[in-house]
């Protein structure tokens, strides 16, 4: 896609700090510099997000996510990772090309990505009826 920023990064038209590449996947450091080692794992095939990508593309991206995560833990001194995907504008997706964020983690890094919240007080039985796949 000509006007897609991640397609341009994959082609090399926009520079990036590449972490990993194979025939289906390209991974590079996020420009935000908000979390130490924040990495984007991107499908080479342009699709919008997890809702429309084909299963081969999804498998390739998730396989690369595991490979890179293992590298961060086994070779780079991290102890774990958060793996995040935003799909849809409502979820916070800002670049409409399928990608997965890896945030490498250390136990003492002080990051809290999932702060505790008040219980919603929903009726779980009704919720289950509304959401279960029939
Ligand atoms: P989203 O919000 O769509 O889940 O994530 C998009 C991410 O792409 C953001 O974290 C943003 O910082 C990153 N990003 C946007 N433009 C560029 C760019 O030109 N280069 C790099 N390396 N990252 C980018
Ligand atoms: Zn694209």
């Amino acid at each position: 896609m000509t006007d897609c920023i991640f397609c341009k990064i994959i082609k090399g038209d926009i520079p990036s700090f590449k972490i990993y590449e194979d025939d289906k996947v390209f991974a590079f450091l996020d420009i935000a510099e908000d979390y130490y080692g924040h990495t984007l794992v991107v499908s080479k095939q342009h699709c919008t997000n997890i809702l429309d990508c084909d299963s081969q593309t999804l498998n390739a991206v998730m396989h690369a996510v595991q490979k890179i995560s293992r590298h961060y833990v086994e070779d780079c001194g991290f102890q774990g990772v958060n793996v995040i995907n935003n799909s849809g504008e409502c979820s916070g997706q800002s670049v409409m090309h399928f990608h997965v964020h890896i945030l490498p983690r250390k136990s003492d890094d002080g990051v809290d990505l999932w702060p505790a919240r008040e219980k919603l007080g929903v009726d779980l039985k009704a919720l289950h009826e509304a959401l279960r796949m029939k």
Side-chain angles (χ1 to χ4, degrees):
M1 230 195 206
T2 46
D3 61 345
C4 170
I5 202 159
F6 285 176
C7 282
K8 285 181 185 161
I9 287 174
I10 292 161
K11 273 175 65 187
D13 293 347
I14 294 176
S16 68
F17 291 100
K18 181 169 90 177
I19 297 290
Y20 172 83
E21 180 174 15
D22 63 32
D23 58 329
K24 294 198 168 55
V25 177
F26 194 85
F28 52 99
L29 292 178
D30 195 297
I31 207 168
E33 288 181 51
D34 47 1
Y35 297 95
Y36 189 78
H38 186 170
T39 302
L40 298 173
V41 185
V42 171
S43 57
K44 283 191 172 171
Q45 159 114 12
H46 179 94
C47 48
T48 307
N49 57 38
I50 203 163
L51 299 170
D52 73 335
C53 75
D54 62 85
S55 58
Q56 224 192 358
T57 300
L58 179 63
N59 285 346
V61 168
M62 291 315 293
H63 190 227
V65 166
Q66 184 186 49
K67 254 190 194 167
I68 297 161
S69 298
R70 284 180 170 162
H71 164 65
Y72 283 165
V73 169
E74 289 165 13
D75 308 324
C76 303
F78 294 97
Q79 283 122 33
V81 293
N82 289 104
V83 172
I84 298 168
N85 166 255
N86 300 323
S87 284
E89 264 181 61
C90 63
S91 74
Q93 183 177 7
S94 60
V95 177
M96 294 299 152
H97 178 134
F98 177 45
H99 57 281
V100 173
H101 300 252
I102 301 176
L103 306 180
R105 297 296 307 274
K106 293 187 178 180
S107 43
D108 61 352
D109 63 18
V111 171
D112 182 4
L113 287 173
W114 202 322
R117 282 161 53 100
E118 293 287 309
K119 270 188 181 278
L120 294 173
V122 291
D123 179 347
L124 284 182
K125 193 165 180 287
L127 181 63
H128 174 246
E129 188 51 29
L131 297 185
R132 77 185 170 89
M133 296 174 77
K134 288 156 190 155

